Amino acid sequence: MLLKINGILATLLFVILLAGISGCYIDTNDGDREPPAIPRGVRTVTGDAQVIIEWYPNGEFDLAGYRVWRGRDSVNFNDLLVDVSENTTHYTDIDVQNGRTYYYAVSAYDTEGNESELSPENASDTPRPEGRNITLDDYILFPGRSGFDFSQPQKGSIPWNVPETDIYFGLDTEIGVTYLYSDNETLMQDLGYHEDFDAIDVVPEMGYTTLFVELIEGHIYAIYTPDGNFAKIQVRQLFDDAVTFDWAYQTDPENIQLAPPLNRP
């Protein structure tokens, strides 16, 4: 019996020595080399001098966080903006300029440092200016403060009959209906009632009318100016002699992205 046991021990010792000589070994502690899944659902929300990036959460138990990347095209993402925790699924980029387009991607990494590939969505955005509570008066009663120029919003209300006026307000007294008018080929269309201004992320490229559109409180209206820029307004208050609205204006010509920033705590 002892001889048999010694023979087994000798055989095991021989195998171990042979493995050492040949360089072969069994690694019983490889570690985790599997990266997390690629983040999905990456989207952007257009803001005034800011862009919000959002994505769906990953489900890995060892997820450690996400990295948000930015590029100047849809291929090269060389600018690492931030590392965020595994419980975060949005980031606000404030290092941007209105009228310039930015591209975004997101990767996920785990507690072992394994990192996924970049998200595949074409998430690009062009921030733009916006404003609140512009009031225009009826152009018959107060012609000097009935118009608005989206390219110079700092002026507030301006005369309706000057070349730079994009839109102006008035009441048709014969039928008792308030209108948004154009005297310079500005195009308009009613996008219907919406609870929030951010309900319209982008405005249509087609379907516009000319000269006038009936105003209804709570409705959002898409605007296409003669210089090739899109805008939108939402009617906040409407009276026979005045209208108050919020606005957003895309300074990048022919760009239809006009969503305002989401309300974040």
Side-chain angles (χ1 to χ4, degrees), residues 136-139 142-147 157-160 167-169:
L136 305 182
D137 295 310
D138 179 83
Y139 78 101
F142 304 100
R145 53 177 191 255
S146 60
S157 58
I158 61 176
W160 71 274
I167 57 173
Y168 64 96
F169 171 77

Side-chain angles (χ1 to χ4, degrees), residues 216-239:
I216 303 173
E217 197 165 285
H219 281 222
I220 294 178
Y221 298 85
I223 313 291
Y224 183 64
T225 66
D227 54 3
N229 294 76
F230 289 96
K232 69 174 181 176
I233 68 168
Q234 183 174 31
V235 177
R236 292 303 186 185
Q237 290 185 300
L238 184 61
F239 308 96

Side-chain angles (χ1 to χ4, degrees), residues 114-131:
N114 302 306
E115 185 173 357
S116 73
E117 295 182 5
L118 296 179
S119 54
E121 291 85 358
N122 183 16
S124 62
D125 220 300
T126 311
R128 80 293 176 274
E130 64 177 27

